[in-house]
Amino acid sequence: MASQEEKQSQTFTDIFDEDEAEKSFLLSKPACLIIFGKPGSGKKTLARKLAQRWNCIFIEASEVIQTNIHEETEYGLKCQELLFKGESISEELVTEMILQKLESPEVAHFGYVLSGFPSLSEEYMTVSQQIEKIKNLKLKPDFLISIKCPDYDLCQRISGQRQHPDSGQVYQRSQWDPKVTEKHKKEKNQHEEEDEEEEQEEEEGGGGGGGGEETAEDPHKKAESFHQLVQRPEDILENAEERVGMYKDIMLHPLEELMSEQDCQCLIEVDGNQQPDDLFEKKACVASDNNFICCYCCFNKQDELFRVLSSYNLIAPRYRWRRSRWGQACPVALNEGDIVMGNPDFAVSFLGKMYLLSSPEALKTFMLNPRPYLLPPMPLPPCKVLVFGPPFSGRTTICNLIADKYKGEV
């Protein structure tokens, strides 16, 4: 009875241990999604928007290629070499880059939104083998989003696409076709006139100023740029129908088997005829609780660091960032076996705690994935042992046994 009375008298106390709650969060799995759909259904557009909204890593073939080329990785240099020769990048190389990205530390921390995999091309791996790769990922997808769109509507939309040769931007028929644009303008003007009439009826007269049309761009310049638009080979109606037919023959059945194995609560089907923004708004609330953002702050004076940082970018009124168990020691350096004091220029707040990193490299590493540096037994002060003795006394054996026992290095 006494314990129950004590609990009732402390109704506003946190019954959960903070360290255990933080540990469970660090061990939790980030949100991971895969988007499926027919060619040209808008997978890439929706995936990019979802990745931006949920702070996940967007993974798609062209995006991975550009990232590797920009960072001049080993794969990126191979891609550059092939492109300079005028050759296409092989399906094997693209798949390896995608799988490497899926196993990267930043993906292990932030999660991913994967689009365009499995691929229709079976040059390197069959569709079934690609789906097996998805099933065997370390971070398995939590949600499967399938974009549904009738074949006729999709092929008509694809065949209406045009690309600007200089900028590479793709325009829909509703943007460049004068007949369609004029029709949309008339419908828009008609709706505006109806709205104005309703407002005038409600106000019983009154002056309603003439609403002029908004012209963000010069229509003559816009018309000139539309004259330069070209149709890509894959957007020709016959080719679009062939790609959609190939998708139904090769991809559809294995994907349906994969989705049938998924929990129905984690399987989302969306209408491909809707605008990407509408789809994005409808799905933006899914798994949003699994995301988190590090807030980065830089300061110049060591003495004022904790005072200033504790009141910066507050989560809630009167809530202050707190010191972590690491104090001013760098978590990355401590994990590597060295005690190095952090630099206030590389300060970061994460999960309500303050951390100081010792270098830009340590900050970048910590930002990609802070979990390995914060999980127990860290913070563990490094222990350095010197073993000495006469020749053939067993120094090497003892060193190896100590290193194996305490996970150290000889």
Side-chain angles (χ1 to χ4, degrees):
M1 288 295 293
S3 61
Q4 290 181 358
E5 290 177 358
E6 288 177 2
K7 288 181 180 178
Q8 290 176 357
S9 64
Q10 299 177 351
T11 54
F12 293 100
T13 57
D14 189 358
I15 61 173
F16 299 103
D17 181 74
E18 182 181 357
D19 291 338
E20 287 299 320
E22 184 174 315
K23 178 182 175 182
S24 65
F25 179 85
L26 292 170
L27 290 170
S28 65
K29 178 179 176 294
C32 302
L33 305 95
I34 299 183
I35 299 181
F36 302 120
K38 298 172 185 174
S41 58
K43 301 185 294 294
K44 185 175 178 180
T45 304
L46 181 61
R48 191 187 297 276
K49 286 181 177 290
L50 293 176
Q52 290 174 353
R53 172 63 177 83
W54 296 342
N55 200 33
C56 296
I57 306 298
F58 172 53
I59 302 179
E60 190 265 343
S62 60
E63 189 78 12
V64 171
I65 292 171
Q66 291 175 6
T67 302
N68 278 271
I69 291 176
H70 178 71
E71 295 178 356
E72 296 184 349
T73 62
E74 182 182 353
Y75 287 126
L77 295 175
K78 287 182 181 178
C79 292
Q80 277 188 328
E81 184 180 350
L82 290 171
L83 293 174
F84 286 151
K85 291 179 180 178
E87 301 176 6
S88 60
I89 300 173
S90 66
E91 194 70 26
E92 179 181 0
L93 191 57
V94 174
T95 304
E96 288 178 359
M97 286 189 286
I98 290 175
L99 295 177
Q100 184 194 51
K101 189 68 175 179
L102 287 168
E103 296 177 357
S104 62
E106 61 266 32
V107 166
H109 178 47
F110 292 104
Y112 62 81
V113 181
L114 177 62
S115 171
F117 189 85
S119 168
L120 269 176
S121 173
E122 294 186 311
E123 175 188 337
Y124 173 55
M125 298 171 66
T126 64
V127 172
S128 300
Q129 290 173 336
Q130 295 178 65
I131 290 177
E132 281 301 315
K133 285 286 184 183
I134 292 175
K135 291 180 180 179
N136 296 325
L137 289 173
K138 291 181 181 178
L139 291 176
K140 292 181 171 55
D142 301 300
F143 297 94
L144 302 182
I145 300 178
S146 176
I147 302 178
K148 301 288 187 179
C149 188
D151 294 351
Y152 177 80
D153 296 343
L154 182 60
C155 291
Q156 290 298 318
R157 189 170 70 200
I158 294 173
S159 63
Q161 292 180 158
R162 298 292 185 272
Q163 186 179 41
H164 195 278
D166 295 333
S167 64
Q169 185 174 353
V170 178
Y171 295 90
Q172 301 294 331
R173 183 182 295 276
S174 59
Q175 295 174 292
W176 64 266
D177 191 341
K179 296 179 181 178
V180 181
T181 54
E182 286 297 327
K183 182 180 178 182
H184 285 314
K185 278 184 182 179
K186 289 180 180 178
E187 292 176 355
K188 183 179 178 183
N189 292 336
Q190 185 178 355
H191 288 306
E192 288 178 354
E193 289 175 2
E194 291 176 357
D195 293 338
E196 286 178 3
E197 289 176 1
E198 290 177 1
E199 289 177 2
Q200 288 176 359
E201 289 177 0
E202 290 175 0
E203 296 174 1
E204 295 180 358
E213 294 183 1
E214 295 180 359
T215 55
E217 296 181 17
D218 186 354
H220 296 292
K221 291 183 179 179
K222 201 169 182 181
E224 289 178 3
S225 65
F226 284 160
H227 285 306
Q228 301 174 3
L229 298 181
V230 296
Q231 188 177 28
R232 298 174 297 181
E234 61 266 27
D235 293 339
I236 298 173
L237 182 60
E238 292 77 10
N239 295 339
E241 291 174 346
E242 184 180 351
R243 287 165 59 207
V244 171
M246 188 184 302
Y247 175 89
K248 294 170 71 175
D249 294 339
I250 299 176
M251 185 85 70
L252 190 58
H253 184 63
L255 282 183
E256 287 178 344
E257 290 183 353
L258 174 64
M259 289 187 284
S260 65
E261 299 172 4
Q262 190 80 1
D263 184 358
C264 61
Q265 294 181 347
C266 301
L267 179 61
I268 303 169
E269 294 186 351
V270 296
D271 184 3
N273 278 330
Q274 295 186 20
Q275 293 296 321
D277 290 333
D278 297 335
L279 295 179
F280 167 65
E281 290 300 329
K282 288 184 178 180
K283 304 304 163 197
C285 59
V286 180
S288 59
D289 293 339
N290 291 340
N291 292 276
F292 41 88
I293 302 174
C294 295
C295 304
Y296 312 107
C297 322
C298 296
F299 301 92
N300 296 320
K301 296 183 179 179
Q302 183 82 20
D303 298 338
E304 298 180 1
L305 170 68
F306 288 106
R307 179 181 63 81
V308 178
L309 181 58
S310 64
S311 60
Y312 178 82
N313 200 11
L314 301 182
I315 297 176
R318 298 185 180 180
Y319 181 95
R320 300 176 73 84
W321 299 106
R322 292 157 294 165
R323 289 174 181 261
S324 67
R325 294 191 296 271
W326 282 255
Q328 295 187 14
C330 174
V332 177
L334 193 62
N335 187 63
E336 295 172 353
D338 294 322
I339 299 178
V340 181
M341 292 298 104
N343 189 331
D345 290 335
F346 309 119
V348 58
S349 57
F350 178 62
L351 293 180
K353 304 283 182 63
M354 296 176 287
Y355 302 94
L356 298 181
L357 287 307
S358 56
S359 65
E361 293 77 18
L363 176 63
K364 182 179 179 181
T365 305
F366 190 84
M367 286 165 53
L368 288 176
N369 188 358
R371 301 177 187 229
Y373 309 103
L374 304 184
L375 284 168
M378 305 304 295
L380 183 66
C383 178
K384 300 181 180 180
V385 180
L386 172 64
V387 179
F388 60 94
F392 305 106
S393 60
R395 290 172 301 180
T396 304
T397 304
I398 292 177
C399 284
N400 291 330
L401 288 173
I402 292 174
D404 182 63
K405 173 68 175 177
Y406 296 102
K407 298 180 180 179
E409 293 184 4
V410 178

